[in-house]
């Protein structure tokens, strides 16, 4: 990943892959939170893995140039998509670092769950094959090519038949 993300209040984090293993990868997680926002009790990385959450505490390492620096190493199994966010406590208030910025002054959700569309995403040891990199893929909706026949298509289980080129498509499983 090797990308630094800076979000609200000059908080930043970086996730560096340190080694690739057969069934996963090791990462170094670094986060910097400005000291002027208050006393930071803890910082956790929450990684959603299926129906479970992996919680990694990121310990404070040092203070540097007005920032509290947190750092840890983690291992993640190979997986196409992980969703993740950070949770921290500052001045006795729980806050979140997520894809839609830090939620300021809001109580934590009752079950401490952040919606997936508000989480960051990453893949572990999952990449496109070389032949597909930089290419454009097309998905052909074959029902749109049945223009010659005047006979309506017969219904098919778990399929939606479109009758006009202008109908809105339902994309998904």
């Amino acid at each position: 990943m090797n990308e630094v993300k800076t979000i609200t209040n000059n908080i930043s984090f970086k996730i560096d892959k340190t080694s690739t293993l057969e069934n996963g990868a090791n990462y170094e997680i670094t986060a910097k939170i400005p000291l002027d926002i208050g006393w930071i009790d803890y910082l956790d990385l929450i990684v959603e893995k299926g129906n479970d959450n992996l919680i990694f505490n990121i310990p404070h390492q040092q203070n540097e140039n007005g920032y509290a620096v947190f750092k840890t190493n983690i291992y993640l199994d190979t997986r196409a998509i992980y969703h993740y966010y950070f949770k921290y406590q500052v001045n006795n208030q729980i806050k979140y670092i997520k894809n839609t910025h830090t939620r300021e002054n809001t109580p934590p959700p009752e079950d401490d769950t952040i919606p997936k569309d508000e989480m960051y995403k990453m893949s572990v040891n999952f990449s496109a094959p070389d032949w597909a990199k930089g290419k454009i893929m097309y998905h052909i909706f074959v029902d749109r090519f049945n223009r010659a026949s005047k006979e309506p298509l017969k219904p098919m289980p778990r399929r939606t038949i479109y009758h006009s080129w202008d109908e809105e498509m339902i994309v998904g499983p």
Side-chain angles (χ1 to χ4, degrees):
M1 187 162 167
N2 301 338
E3 176 183 7
V4 176
K5 295 186 187 264
T6 303
I7 51 176
T8 304
N9 296 331
N10 293 320
I11 296 170
S12 65
F13 68 90
K14 181 170 72 168
I15 300 176
D16 287 321
K17 186 187 290 188
T18 57
S19 62
T20 301
L21 306 169
E22 185 176 331
N23 295 321
N26 289 312
Y27 293 89
E28 180 179 79
I29 313 296
T30 306
K32 293 183 177 182
I33 302 176
L35 291 168
D36 63 2
I37 68 169
W39 180 259
I40 302 154
D41 293 313
Y42 68 85
L43 174 65
D44 289 338
L45 168 66
I46 292 86
V47 178
E48 187 179 89
K49 183 180 179 185
N51 293 328
D52 296 325
N53 282 341
L54 306 173
I55 300 172
F56 299 98
N57 179 259
I58 305 174
H60 177 265
Q61 296 295 307
Q62 64 186 10
N63 293 337
E64 175 183 280
N65 299 324
Y67 287 88
V69 179
F70 297 80
K71 192 179 283 192
T72 195
N73 294 299
I74 66 169
Y75 169 82
L76 293 172
D77 296 325
T78 297
R79 188 174 178 91
I81 296 284
Y82 279 102
H83 291 87
Y84 68 94
Y85 62 95
F86 295 85
K87 175 182 172 182
Y88 66 103
Q89 185 169 325
V90 60
N91 300 328
N92 293 319
Q93 291 182 336
I94 304 278
K95 302 213 177 184
Y96 299 89
I97 303 169
K98 55 194 184 103
N99 202 16
T100 54
H101 306 297
T102 305
R103 280 185 6 188
E104 295 292 345
N105 302 320
T106 58
E110 194 171 304
D111 60 358
D112 204 33
T113 301
I114 301 294
K116 278 189 182 176
D117 63 341
E118 295 182 15
M119 295 183 194
Y120 294 100
K121 295 184 225 177
M122 70 182 284
S123 295
V124 174
N125 287 357
F126 186 87
S127 61
D130 287 339
W131 63 265
K133 291 180 181 173
K135 306 293 190 254
I136 296 173
M137 301 276 186
Y138 292 96
H139 182 96
I140 298 173
F141 297 94
V142 295
D143 65 310
R144 304 296 167 119
F145 292 94
N146 187 30
R147 310 246 327 143
S149 173
K150 302 290 183 218
E151 292 290 318
L153 290 174
K154 294 180 178 141
M156 292 183 273
R158 299 187 340 246
R159 301 286 188 265
T160 301
I161 306 293
Y162 297 97
H163 302 287
S164 165
W165 287 84
D166 301 319
E167 284 182 64
E168 186 75 26
M169 289 186 291
I170 299 170
V171 179

